[in-house]
Structures are given as structure tokens and as C-alpha cells.
Amino acid sequence: MWRTRAAVACVICRSLANSSYGIKRKSPLQNLHVVSRSIHHPYYPSSKFQRPPLRISIKLFSSLNRLPLRKTKLLNVKHGYQFHRNFWLARLASRLLKVRYLILGSAVGGGYTAKKTYDQWKDMMPDLNEYKWIVPDFVWELDEHVDFEKLIKALPDADDLAKLLPDFDKIGESFTSLKGFFSPGYNLVSEVIGASDLLLLLGSPGETAFRATDQGYDNDKQFKKVSDKEKIDQLQEELLRTQLKYQRMLERLEKENKELRKLVLQRDDKGIHQRKLKKSLIDMYSEVLDILSDYDASYNTQDHLPRVVVVGDQSAGKTSVLEMIAQARIFPRGSGEMMTRSPVKVTLSEGPHHVALFKDSSREFDLTKEEDLAALRNEIEIRMRNSVKEGCTVSTETISLSVKGPGLQRMVLVDLPGVISTVTSGMAPDTKETIFSISKAYMQNPNAIILCIQDGSVDAERSIVTDLVSQMDPQGKRTIFVLTKVDLAEKNVASPSRIQQIIEGKLFPMKALGYFAVVTGKGNSSESIESIKEYEEEFFQNSKLLKTCMLKAHQVTTKNLSLAVSDCFWKMVRESVEQQADAFKATRFNLETEWKNNYPRLRELDRNELFEKAKNEILDEVISLTQVTPKHWEEILQKTLWERVSTHVIENIYLPAAQTMNSGTFNTTVDIKLKQWTDKQLPNKAVEVAWETLQEEFSRFMTEPKGKEHDDIFDKLKQAVKEESIKRHKWNERAEDSLRVIQHNALEDRSISDKQQWDAAIHFMEETLQSRLKDTESVIEDMVGPDWKKRWLYWIGRTKEQNIRNETKNELEKLIKCSEEHAAYLANDEVTTVRKNLEARGVTVDPCLIKDTWHQIYRRYFLKTALNHCNLCRRGFYYYQRHFVDSELECNDIVLFWRIQRMLAITANTLRQQLTNTEVRRLEKNVKEVLEDFAEDNEKKVKLLTGKRVQLAEDLKKVREIQEKLEAFIEALHQEK
């Protein structure tokens, strides 16, 4: 179809070209004016009339909306000698032929400007190839349904079209009276071309960042000298009007282009036909930088990719410059105090809506709403303060922020803490050195663009950052100098030429790629970006710095600054990204080789994958608790509970009751003490035993080896999960109340139903008493020392204290043999008697030592007597059934131990049910919560999953991810070209 349309256009143009369009005939080349002949034939021999080179002033292009243009001073042009000056016919012909100058000059200048503007807009326009499906299919198939050959034949002839055009001969006659008006047409064309050709100069340091190219015609053209001052002024006004016309046209087209891009991005944002949109180049690049920032710094790879590093003295206005580039007041602000306490990486990209979001958060802050702006500033301030460690003022941790919006220049900037000269009160002593080290770490990257911010309202000699930048970039090949607060500088500086020296790079020792002057507001924190822009434009409109040519239009405003920085940023990205990708290929090969040599049979599991594997193992082990048999639970619970309460039962219940004289008093004492014990201590002890038993079983499952499948890399993680889960677990508070009732009812029951239960109680009592007797014998042996066999066999002697205790023991044993029904405590007269008997044998003893020794001697005697009585009660079940009527045998102690044994069994059964039905599930829930918390805590995972194997897998994963993203970014970069 397009070929058919081109054919139609060619036929029409050929027809029009063959006609005269109202001109009867074309003048021969020999009859034309000599200047006209040089235009028609550039190689015509007209060397006699070569004019000297013209010197004209070119008005520089400005992006300001209302910046007044300076009138160009036209210098007198010297013209060569012209023939036939006294013939009116020749003069008339020359005047008429000057129309060609205007037409040709306008065509050349307008065409060049249109071509330049078209190329610039074409680069900014989004790729619409993906939107061809929006155009209906019948449009693409139009040539199949429309016969363009018939349409061509139906067009009117060239002669008919020529009649519709005006008669240029008559029009030429009307210009005769305008003698000399079109002579300076060359100047007009040159000014238009010069105004449209603004080029970014990334040349040698110390020069200005931009130049306007100056173009002119060949020196073989002659122009008539104009001496009329009024006509010169009139022509200058015409030139200004022409430039203003082009300026307004460019601004209008730029606005329309911005609205069109916004419309396209909005359609993409809504997801037409549920299509997936590709990530933008700057977002892909920012992801690479984020991954590199987390990568091991020992490889020194993260510093090789470009980013724009914003450095400056404290309160120099660097954060304000960054906000102007981002077109939003996103940073916290303060008066003279340090607000930037950690590096902030800001990724600027184009989008349909002006929003901001953090790297680790999904919340979007609408930058068009003041509430969201305040929330964003508060969040940044909170993150900064949280990143600063105790005892420090600044942090090296980077906060990553992404800002999207229509018309934003795509780049990655890093706002660093302001450089200070003195540490003030409230700051850490090493604050100054820390800020310098952070700044140097970012600026030492050979591909980093240094945006050096200098406060124009203070003396240049007070600047610290310029010396620092000069050290890091002595040649100035990647430094862009920005002078802020120029409005204050113009008011306060006595010599305006000083500002000119700064912008021209002659005042500071540092060199720079470009120099800019900006105004970022009046110092009011509540100013909006729009009001700051208006103030900046208004200031430069009226500034003497521009009117007196001390500053050039392309060196002012943050808009020109952002354009220059963005172009420089992408230039460096294209130059360095492929070299970086090759470096990571080599690193990946080295890491893969190391893994194959050290862990040939293991998969390359990184820290997160290992954590997921350990998580599944831990959850399986928790589920294994449900596989424990009820019998095993009850045996463990009963045994542990009796070990915990046996001392209290023997010492506080059984022994005091056994000292009574009859069975009634024995039973009464036992009932009272059991009731007190049940009400106050027993339920709590039982719950503690159950909780400890659950912990022990859980630990057993967690720590027992799994054979060859056991991986000791998980041991620290499992231990931490176990401890944290147990710490969080709390037993059901209502369990004690229900357990108290059950235990009380069990202890109230005294009815032993059969002989088997009777024998079991006797066996339980014998085991308990024998265990206590063994413990007592051990205590006595420690008190009196080894017996004669050990002394002879092991050559061990007794100490002096052991000899005294041995003598005391022998004396007390005599006392018990004399009185088998002796009470549990010695009377005072008995203590005195024992002491005197010992003194008679030359042994001096303290009364307290006598009583202490008596307690163990009597305890051993009592336990032996109780065991003998227990043996007698083996045949006492018959008498028990008859309530010991007509029998001297009383076995109330057997009934007590049966009650205790039954209470232990019932308590163990109750606790087992509570464990399996409730507490195990609650513990499993706690374990899952702990694992989820650990999964979100990267520091915890790094601490618990350590070792060479883990670190090697982590490095390998990072390198692969970086390489893949770099390759995807390079591919997208080539596609954009």
C-alpha cells in the first residue's frame, strides 16, 4: 500500500514540476544576476565577486518559556562592486530575483530545523510498533480494495493545477518598491539555523557544556550594504519575531509530545488486552545496581557501573537540586542541621503517574498529594534513623527509592550526606571521617558521574567538596559542577564577574565536564516545585548575568542540567555495561569450577533454598510428636512427675504422719497434708513436668541424627528454632484448674479393689524407700568417710571432721539401739549426754553437728524399719478388706502409697491427653510462626546458616543473577538503539 501511495505522490510532483506555475519561461542562466548565477550553479566562475566572510552573532537557544531574547547586533557587511548600477531594468530584475534568496534560505533553514527537531522528538517518542494492532486490519489491506491507478488518472492535469497558483511575475513587481529590504535575507536564514542547532559539548574540561554551531553560506555571495538605520532596526525586530515564533512552536510541540507520551504510558499502565509490559531500561539497570550493592565487595565489581553521585557541602542545596530533577519535594528538610544521614539511591524513570515507592515495599506514594509527600518524607527520615547504629551519626546503608512520572529524565542518582568541616555537639567523633569515606567510596568508581554542588551564596574559599572532587577526578572527565542559590549570589557578590569565573571553571582548581547555575527556591520549605520553577525562570529572565552575557542560556535552570546529566549518564552506561558483563562471565566460571571440585554431589542451594529445606525437616519433626504412643507419654510423665514430687511426699507427708501413735492420727495427718499439697503445689508441678517432657521429646526429635541424610549445616538453625518456639509457647492456663479437681478426687479414694493393686502399691513403696535408703547411706558415707575396707584397699584416710562425725555416729547408733521407738528428734538432755560422752573420749563436738548427724542416722533407721514393715504387709490385703479388725497389723502406709500411685497414673493420663490434643498442635503453630519470622529476617538466616558451602552457593547465585540481568539490559539497550 505504501508503495502505491508513493507512486501517486511521484506522479503528482512530476506533473507540477513540468508546469511553469504561472511563469511564462525560465530565464537563462547567463542572463541572471551574478549572485543569482552562483546560487543556481555553485561552480559558476564568479571569483571576481567574492565577498569577505560575514561576521554575525547567533542567538543561543534557551529552554526558558518567557526568557527575552537579546537583539542581535548586525555588523556592516562589505559588498563587492556590482555592474549596471545605473540601469533601472537591471535593478528591478535583481530585486525580483532576491525572492529566491528568501525562498531558498527559508527552505534550507526551516528544513534543517525541522529535521533536527524531528530527530530529537523521534528519540523521545516511545516505540509504537507494539501498537500496530490498534489500527484495524482493513486499513492495511486498503490497497486491495482501492484502485489507485484509476485515482491517479482522475487527478487534474498539471496545467489545470498551475492555473490555481498565483502569478509570481505580478507578485515580483510589487516588491520593486521595497528597495533593499531583502538584502539581509542571509542573516535571517543564518540566525534561524543557528538558533535550531544546539549541541551538547562533552569536550575538554574547563569549557562550557554547550555550544551553538555557527553556520553560514559560501564566501562567494555578495550582499548590498544597508545604511538606513530604520531598516536595520526593522530587520532586527523581524529576526526576534522569527526566533520567538520558532520558540513558541517548539514549546507547543514539546507540550503535545509530553501529553502524547503520557497518554501512551497510561494505556500501558491499564494493560490493554491484558498484555504484559516490559520493564523500562532504567528499572532494569536499577535492579542490577541493587543486586550489586548486596554482592560481596571483595570482588570489587559493584563500583564499575555508572550512577550519578550527588556530593556537596552541608546545606549547599544538593538535596534541593535532586528534588528539582525528580520534580517533587521528597526529602526531609531542616534548617542548618544534617538531614541526609545515609546514602539514598533514587531511580528516575518515566511513567503515567507521578509516584514513588521503596525497593522493599509495595506501597506507592502519590507525589501529587501533599499527604503522601509528607508520609514519604517521614518514612525516609525513619529509615535513615533506623539505619544509623548506636553511637553513630551517619550510616553506610543505602536506602533505595524509585520515582516515576511524566517527563522525568531516566537516570540513577545517589544523594550522599553533606560534607562537613567541623564536628558539632551531638555528633559522633568520627562523623567527618565517615562522611569522607562514604563519599570517596562512591566517587572512586571510574564510571560514576560526580554532580558537585556548590553554594553560590557563600565564599568559594569556604568550599570543602571541591578539593575532595578534585582528588577523585583530577581531569574532570566525569564531573558536572552546579552552582546553587545564584539569586542570593547575585545580590551579595560585589563583583558579578566572580560568578562568571566560577561557571567558566577559572576560580576553582577543580576541572569539570560542564558548569551550570540553578536556583532552587527562596528557602521556604513549603514551596512547591511549580512555584520554584516559576521563580527560577523569572529570576533568569531579569538577571543581569544573562543580559550582560556572563552566563549563557544553556547553562542555567535545572531543566538544562537534568538533560545534560541524563545524556552523560546513558553515554557512560553504554560504554561500560558490556565490559562489566564480560567480567561477570569470568567470575561465574571460577565459582562454578570451585563448586564442582569441592561439592561434586551436592546441588547448589543458596541460603534461602537451604532454609526452605531445613524448614520442611523441622515441620516433619514436629509432626513426629503426634506419632509418640500414649503409653510412652504416660510412662515418661508418671516417672518424671514422681521424681519431681517424691521428696515432698516422703519428707513432708509420709515421715511426719509415720511419727503418729495410731492409724487414725496417721490417716488424718495424711489427708490434711495431701489436701494442702493439691491445692497449692501439685497441679502446677504437674503442668511444669508436662511442659518439660514436651520440650525433651521435641528436642530429641530435633537433635537425633538421621544417618547419612543428616546435614549438620542445619544444627544451629534447628537449635534456634527450638529455643524460640519453647520460649513463645505457654501452657493453657485453665489446665491447672481442671487438673486440680482430678488430682483431688484421685487422692480421696482409699479403696484398693484387688490383690494386684495391693502388690503394686507395696512394690512402689519398696522401690521408693530403697531409693531413699540408698541416698541416705551415701550421705552418711560422705559424712563419716570411707570404711576400713576402702581405707585398706584404696589407701584413703579420713579427715579430722570425718573422724568427729564417725565418733558421733557410733554414739547415736547406741542411743537408737537402746530405744527403738525413739522419736524423730533428739531432746536437749540427750544432745548434752552425747556431747559429754564424746568429750570423755577426747572428742570435742558441736551440738549442731550432733543434731545434723542424728537426722541422717534416724532417717536410715526409719527407712529400714519401714521396709521391714512393708515386707510384713505383703500378706495384709486380707486384713485390709476387713479394715484390720482383730489384727495387730496396720498397713496404712501401703494405702497412702497406693493413693499416690493412682494419682500419678491419672495425672499422667490427663496430661497425655492435653499434650496430644492441644499442646503439640500449639507448639507446631509456634514453630511455623518462628520459621516465618526467621524467613523474613535475612540477618538471622545469615547468622544461623553459615559455612563455605553456603557462601559459595550465595555468590554463585548472585553472579548468575547479575549476569542474566546485565545480558537482558544490554539486549534491551541494543533494541532501543
Side-chain angles (χ1 to χ4, degrees), residues 208-248:
T208 55
F210 298 100
R211 289 179 181 170
T213 60
D214 192 5
Q215 297 182 355
Y217 287 105
D218 298 334
N219 293 333
D220 58 349
K221 296 185 179 67
Q222 297 288 333
F223 286 91
K224 193 174 182 180
K225 182 177 179 180
V226 179
S227 60
D228 193 342
K229 184 177 180 181
E230 295 179 357
K231 292 181 179 179
I232 293 176
D233 294 338
Q234 184 180 3
L235 190 56
Q236 288 178 344
E237 293 177 0
E238 181 67 23
L239 175 61
L240 292 176
R241 286 195 296 269
T242 305
Q243 290 179 335
L244 287 173
K245 176 183 176 182
Y246 277 105
Q247 179 71 24
R248 295 191 189 98

Short mmCIF file of all heavy atoms in Angstrom, two decimals, residues 208-248:
data_model
loop_
_atom_site.label_atom_id
_atom_site.label_comp_id
_atom_site.label_asym_id
_atom_site.label_seq_id
_atom_site.Cartn_x
_atom_site.Cartn_y
_atom_site.Cartn_z
N THR A 208 32.65 25.33 28.49
CA THR A 208 31.21 25.29 28.79
C THR A 208 30.63 24.04 28.20
O THR A 208 31.15 23.47 27.24
CB THR A 208 30.49 26.51 28.21
OG1 THR A 208 30.77 26.56 26.83
CG2 THR A 208 30.96 27.79 28.87
N ALA A 209 29.49 23.62 28.77
CA ALA A 209 28.91 22.33 28.42
C ALA A 209 28.23 22.34 27.07
O ALA A 209 28.04 21.30 26.47
CB ALA A 209 27.94 21.89 29.49
N PHE A 210 27.82 23.46 26.61
CA PHE A 210 27.10 23.52 25.34
C PHE A 210 27.68 24.62 24.45
O PHE A 210 28.21 25.61 24.92
CB PHE A 210 25.62 23.82 25.59
CG PHE A 210 24.93 22.79 26.38
CD1 PHE A 210 24.70 22.96 27.74
CD2 PHE A 210 24.54 21.59 25.81
CE1 PHE A 210 24.09 22.01 28.47
CE2 PHE A 210 23.92 20.63 26.53
CZ PHE A 210 23.70 20.84 27.85
N ARG A 211 27.54 24.46 23.15
CA ARG A 211 27.89 25.48 22.17
C ARG A 211 26.82 25.54 21.10
O ARG A 211 26.19 24.53 20.80
CB ARG A 211 29.22 25.15 21.51
CG ARG A 211 30.44 25.31 22.42
CD ARG A 211 31.68 24.93 21.68
NE ARG A 211 32.85 25.04 22.51
CZ ARG A 211 34.04 24.60 22.16
NH1 ARG A 211 34.22 24.04 20.99
NH2 ARG A 211 35.06 24.72 22.96
N ALA A 212 26.67 26.68 20.55
CA ALA A 212 25.76 26.81 19.41
C ALA A 212 26.59 26.81 18.15
O ALA A 212 27.55 27.55 18.02
CB ALA A 212 24.96 28.11 19.53
N THR A 213 26.26 25.96 17.21
CA THR A 213 27.01 25.87 15.97
C THR A 213 26.67 27.05 15.08
O THR A 213 25.50 27.41 14.94
CB THR A 213 26.69 24.55 15.26
OG1 THR A 213 25.31 24.53 15.00
CG2 THR A 213 27.07 23.36 16.10
N ASP A 214 27.68 27.60 14.49
CA ASP A 214 27.51 28.80 13.65
C ASP A 214 27.72 28.40 12.20
O ASP A 214 28.80 27.95 11.83
CB ASP A 214 28.53 29.85 14.09
CG ASP A 214 28.21 31.20 13.47
OD1 ASP A 214 27.17 31.29 12.81
OD2 ASP A 214 29.02 32.12 13.66
N GLN A 215 26.67 28.51 11.41
CA GLN A 215 26.73 28.11 10.01
C GLN A 215 26.51 29.32 9.11
O GLN A 215 25.76 30.22 9.45
CB GLN A 215 25.68 27.03 9.72
CG GLN A 215 25.92 25.75 10.52
CD GLN A 215 24.91 24.69 10.19
OE1 GLN A 215 24.00 24.95 9.43
NE2 GLN A 215 25.11 23.53 10.74
N GLY A 216 27.05 29.29 7.97
CA GLY A 216 26.86 30.38 7.01
C GLY A 216 26.99 29.88 5.59
O GLY A 216 27.28 28.72 5.34
N TYR A 217 26.76 30.74 4.68
CA TYR A 217 26.88 30.39 3.26
C TYR A 217 28.32 30.53 2.80
O TYR A 217 29.21 30.98 3.54
CB TYR A 217 25.97 31.27 2.43
CG TYR A 217 24.52 30.92 2.59
CD1 TYR A 217 23.68 31.72 3.33
CD2 TYR A 217 24.02 29.79 1.96
CE1 TYR A 217 22.36 31.40 3.47
CE2 TYR A 217 22.68 29.47 2.09
CZ TYR A 217 21.86 30.26 2.83
OH TYR A 217 20.55 29.95 2.96
N ASP A 218 28.56 30.20 1.54
CA ASP A 218 29.89 30.32 0.96
C ASP A 218 30.30 31.78 0.86
O ASP A 218 29.45 32.68 0.75
CB ASP A 218 29.94 29.68 -0.43
CG ASP A 218 29.64 28.20 -0.33
OD1 ASP A 218 29.90 27.66 0.76
OD2 ASP A 218 29.13 27.62 -1.31
N ASN A 219 31.60 32.01 0.84
CA ASN A 219 32.09 33.39 0.79
C ASN A 219 31.95 34.04 -0.59
O ASN A 219 32.33 35.19 -0.79
CB ASN A 219 33.57 33.42 1.19
CG ASN A 219 33.73 33.06 2.64
OD1 ASN A 219 32.80 33.26 3.42
ND2 ASN A 219 34.89 32.53 3.00
N ASP A 220 31.42 33.27 -1.58
CA ASP A 220 31.32 33.82 -2.91
C ASP A 220 30.06 34.63 -3.15
O ASP A 220 29.80 35.06 -4.27
CB ASP A 220 31.40 32.69 -3.94
CG ASP A 220 30.31 31.68 -3.73
OD1 ASP A 220 29.65 31.77 -2.67
OD2 ASP A 220 30.11 30.80 -4.59
N LYS A 221 29.21 34.84 -2.09
CA LYS A 221 27.96 35.58 -2.23
C LYS A 221 28.18 37.02 -1.81
O LYS A 221 28.82 37.28 -0.81
CB LYS A 221 26.87 34.93 -1.38
CG LYS A 221 26.53 33.51 -1.84
CD LYS A 221 25.38 32.99 -1.04
CE LYS A 221 25.00 31.60 -1.48
NZ LYS A 221 25.99 30.60 -1.20
N GLN A 222 27.60 37.91 -2.52
CA GLN A 222 27.72 39.35 -2.25
C GLN A 222 26.38 39.89 -1.80
O GLN A 222 25.34 39.48 -2.31
CB GLN A 222 28.15 40.09 -3.55
CG GLN A 222 29.51 39.66 -4.07
CD GLN A 222 30.61 40.17 -3.20
OE1 GLN A 222 30.45 41.19 -2.54
NE2 GLN A 222 31.72 39.45 -3.18
N PHE A 223 26.43 40.81 -0.81
CA PHE A 223 25.20 41.43 -0.31
C PHE A 223 25.36 42.95 -0.33
O PHE A 223 26.47 43.47 -0.10
CB PHE A 223 24.89 40.96 1.12
CG PHE A 223 24.36 39.56 1.15
CD1 PHE A 223 25.23 38.51 1.29
CD2 PHE A 223 23.02 39.30 1.00
CE1 PHE A 223 24.78 37.23 1.30
CE2 PHE A 223 22.56 38.01 1.02
CZ PHE A 223 23.44 36.96 1.17
N LYS A 224 24.28 43.57 -0.51
CA LYS A 224 24.28 45.03 -0.63
C LYS A 224 24.35 45.67 0.74
O LYS A 224 23.71 45.22 1.66
CB LYS A 224 23.01 45.47 -1.35
CG LYS A 224 23.03 46.91 -1.80
CD LYS A 224 21.79 47.20 -2.62
CE LYS A 224 21.82 48.61 -3.13
NZ LYS A 224 20.64 48.94 -3.93
N LYS A 225 25.14 46.71 0.85
CA LYS A 225 25.27 47.42 2.12
C LYS A 225 24.03 48.24 2.37
O LYS A 225 23.49 48.89 1.47
CB LYS A 225 26.49 48.33 2.06
CG LYS A 225 26.75 49.08 3.35
CD LYS A 225 28.01 49.90 3.24
CE LYS A 225 28.26 50.67 4.51
NZ LYS A 225 29.48 51.48 4.43
N VAL A 226 23.55 48.19 3.62
CA VAL A 226 22.34 48.92 4.00
C VAL A 226 22.76 49.99 4.98
O VAL A 226 23.33 49.70 6.02
CB VAL A 226 21.30 47.99 4.63
CG1 VAL A 226 20.08 48.79 5.04
CG2 VAL A 226 20.93 46.91 3.64
N SER A 227 22.53 51.19 4.66
CA SER A 227 22.91 52.29 5.54
C SER A 227 21.74 52.89 6.28
O SER A 227 21.93 53.73 7.16
CB SER A 227 23.60 53.39 4.72
OG SER A 227 22.72 53.88 3.71
N ASP A 228 20.57 52.44 5.95
CA ASP A 228 19.38 53.02 6.58
C ASP A 228 19.20 52.38 7.95
O ASP A 228 18.96 51.17 8.06
CB ASP A 228 18.16 52.77 5.70
CG ASP A 228 16.97 53.61 6.14
OD1 ASP A 228 17.00 54.09 7.30
OD2 ASP A 228 16.04 53.79 5.35
N LYS A 229 19.31 53.15 9.00
CA LYS A 229 19.24 52.63 10.37
C LYS A 229 17.87 52.09 10.69
O LYS A 229 17.73 51.08 11.39
CB LYS A 229 19.60 53.75 11.35
CG LYS A 229 19.66 53.29 12.80
CD LYS A 229 20.09 54.42 13.70
CE LYS A 229 20.14 53.96 15.14
NZ LYS A 229 20.55 55.06 16.05
N GLU A 230 16.84 52.71 10.17
CA GLU A 230 15.48 52.25 10.47
C GLU A 230 15.23 50.87 9.91
O GLU A 230 14.60 50.02 10.54
CB GLU A 230 14.47 53.24 9.91
CG GLU A 230 14.53 54.61 10.57
CD GLU A 230 13.53 55.57 9.98
OE1 GLU A 230 12.84 55.17 9.01
OE2 GLU A 230 13.43 56.70 10.48
N LYS A 231 15.74 50.64 8.71
CA LYS A 231 15.52 49.32 8.11
C LYS A 231 16.30 48.24 8.85
O LYS A 231 15.86 47.10 8.96
CB LYS A 231 15.91 49.36 6.64
CG LYS A 231 14.98 50.23 5.81
CD LYS A 231 15.38 50.24 4.35
CE LYS A 231 14.41 51.11 3.55
NZ LYS A 231 14.76 51.17 2.12
N ILE A 232 17.46 48.62 9.35
CA ILE A 232 18.22 47.65 10.14
C ILE A 232 17.47 47.28 11.42
O ILE A 232 17.35 46.11 11.79
CB ILE A 232 19.62 48.20 10.48
CG1 ILE A 232 20.45 48.33 9.19
CG2 ILE A 232 20.34 47.31 11.49
CD1 ILE A 232 21.80 48.95 9.41
N ASP A 233 16.93 48.28 12.09
CA ASP A 233 16.14 48.01 13.30
C ASP A 233 14.91 47.18 12.97
O ASP A 233 14.52 46.29 13.73
CB ASP A 233 15.72 49.32 13.96
CG ASP A 233 16.92 50.09 14.49
OD1 ASP A 233 17.97 49.44 14.72
OD2 ASP A 233 16.80 51.32 14.68
N GLN A 234 14.30 47.51 11.85
CA GLN A 234 13.11 46.76 11.44
C GLN A 234 13.47 45.29 11.18
O GLN A 234 12.72 44.39 11.55
CB GLN A 234 12.52 47.40 10.18
CG GLN A 234 11.21 46.74 9.72
CD GLN A 234 10.66 47.39 8.47
OE1 GLN A 234 11.30 48.29 7.91
NE2 GLN A 234 9.50 46.96 8.04
N LEU A 235 14.61 45.07 10.56
CA LEU A 235 15.03 43.71 10.29
C LEU A 235 15.38 42.96 11.58
O LEU A 235 15.13 41.76 11.72
CB LEU A 235 16.24 43.72 9.36
CG LEU A 235 16.65 42.35 8.79
CD1 LEU A 235 15.50 41.71 8.06
CD2 LEU A 235 17.85 42.50 7.88
N GLN A 236 15.98 43.67 12.53
CA GLN A 236 16.27 43.04 13.81
C GLN A 236 14.99 42.62 14.53
O GLN A 236 14.93 41.54 15.13
CB GLN A 236 17.08 44.01 14.69
CG GLN A 236 18.52 44.20 14.24
CD GLN A 236 19.26 45.18 15.11
OE1 GLN A 236 18.63 45.94 15.84
NE2 GLN A 236 20.58 45.19 15.00
N GLU A 237 13.99 43.47 14.48
CA GLU A 237 12.70 43.10 15.09
C GLU A 237 12.09 41.91 14.38
O GLU A 237 11.49 41.03 15.02
CB GLU A 237 11.75 44.29 15.04
CG GLU A 237 12.18 45.46 15.92
CD GLU A 237 11.26 46.65 15.79
OE1 GLU A 237 10.29 46.55 15.00
OE2 GLU A 237 11.50 47.67 16.46
N GLU A 238 12.27 41.86 13.06
CA GLU A 238 11.75 40.72 12.31
C GLU A 238 12.47 39.43 12.73
O GLU A 238 11.87 38.36 12.86
CB GLU A 238 11.95 40.97 10.81
CG GLU A 238 11.43 39.85 9.92
CD GLU A 238 9.93 39.73 9.98
OE1 GLU A 238 9.26 40.74 10.33
OE2 GLU A 238 9.42 38.64 9.69
N LEU A 239 13.77 39.57 12.96
CA LEU A 239 14.55 38.41 13.41
C LEU A 239 14.08 37.93 14.78
O LEU A 239 13.92 36.73 15.03
CB LEU A 239 16.03 38.76 13.46
CG LEU A 239 16.98 37.69 14.03
CD1 LEU A 239 16.91 36.43 13.18
CD2 LEU A 239 18.40 38.21 14.10
N LEU A 240 13.83 38.86 15.71
CA LEU A 240 13.34 38.49 17.03
C LEU A 240 11.99 37.81 16.95
O LEU A 240 11.72 36.83 17.64
CB LEU A 240 13.27 39.73 17.93
CG LEU A 240 14.62 40.36 18.31
CD1 LEU A 240 14.39 41.64 19.10
CD2 LEU A 240 15.47 39.39 19.11
N ARG A 241 11.11 38.36 16.09
CA ARG A 241 9.79 37.75 15.93
C ARG A 241 9.91 36.33 15.37
O ARG A 241 9.18 35.42 15.77
CB ARG A 241 8.91 38.61 15.03
CG ARG A 241 8.40 39.89 15.69
CD ARG A 241 7.26 40.50 14.89
NE ARG A 241 7.72 40.93 13.57
CZ ARG A 241 8.18 42.15 13.32
NH1 ARG A 241 8.27 43.06 14.29
NH2 ARG A 241 8.57 42.48 12.09
N THR A 242 10.85 36.14 14.45
CA THR A 242 11.04 34.81 13.88
C THR A 242 11.54 33.83 14.94
O THR A 242 11.06 32.69 15.04
CB THR A 242 12.04 34.89 12.72
OG1 THR A 242 11.59 35.85 11.77
CG2 THR A 242 12.19 33.53 12.03
N GLN A 243 12.49 34.27 15.73
CA GLN A 243 13.00 33.40 16.78
C GLN A 243 11.94 33.07 17.81
O GLN A 243 11.83 31.94 18.28
CB GLN A 243 14.22 34.05 17.45
CG GLN A 243 15.44 34.11 16.54
CD GLN A 243 16.61 34.78 17.21
OE1 GLN A 243 16.43 35.58 18.12
NE2 GLN A 243 17.82 34.47 16.75
N LEU A 244 11.15 34.09 18.17
CA LEU A 244 10.05 33.83 19.11
C LEU A 244 9.03 32.87 18.52
O LEU A 244 8.47 32.03 19.22
CB LEU A 244 9.36 35.16 19.48
CG LEU A 244 10.14 36.07 20.42
CD1 LEU A 244 9.44 37.41 20.56
CD2 LEU A 244 10.30 35.41 21.79
N LYS A 245 8.82 32.99 17.24
CA LYS A 245 7.88 32.08 16.58
C LYS A 245 8.37 30.64 16.67
O LYS A 245 7.61 29.73 17.01
CB LYS A 245 7.73 32.51 15.11
CG LYS A 245 6.84 31.58 14.29
CD LYS A 245 6.81 32.04 12.84
CE LYS A 245 5.99 31.06 11.99
NZ LYS A 245 5.99 31.46 10.56
N TYR A 246 9.67 30.43 16.36
CA TYR A 246 10.22 29.09 16.47
C TYR A 246 10.20 28.61 17.91
O TYR A 246 9.96 27.43 18.20
CB TYR A 246 11.65 29.06 15.92
CG TYR A 246 11.72 28.92 14.42
CD1 TYR A 246 12.04 30.00 13.62
CD2 TYR A 246 11.46 27.70 13.80
CE1 TYR A 246 12.11 29.89 12.24
CE2 TYR A 246 11.53 27.56 12.44
CZ TYR A 246 11.85 28.66 11.65
OH TYR A 246 11.92 28.52 10.30
N GLN A 247 10.48 29.52 18.83
CA GLN A 247 10.48 29.15 20.25
C GLN A 247 9.12 28.67 20.69
O GLN A 247 8.98 27.62 21.33
CB GLN A 247 10.93 30.36 21.08
CG GLN A 247 10.95 30.10 22.59
CD GLN A 247 12.08 29.18 22.97
OE1 GLN A 247 13.07 29.08 22.25
NE2 GLN A 247 11.92 28.47 24.06
N ARG A 248 8.08 29.44 20.33
CA ARG A 248 6.71 29.04 20.72
C ARG A 248 6.32 27.73 20.04
O ARG A 248 5.63 26.90 20.63
CB ARG A 248 5.73 30.15 20.36
CG ARG A 248 5.95 31.46 21.14
CD ARG A 248 4.79 32.40 20.93
NE ARG A 248 5.07 33.71 21.49
CZ ARG A 248 5.51 34.75 20.77
NH1 ARG A 248 5.71 34.61 19.46
NH2 ARG A 248 5.74 35.92 21.36
#
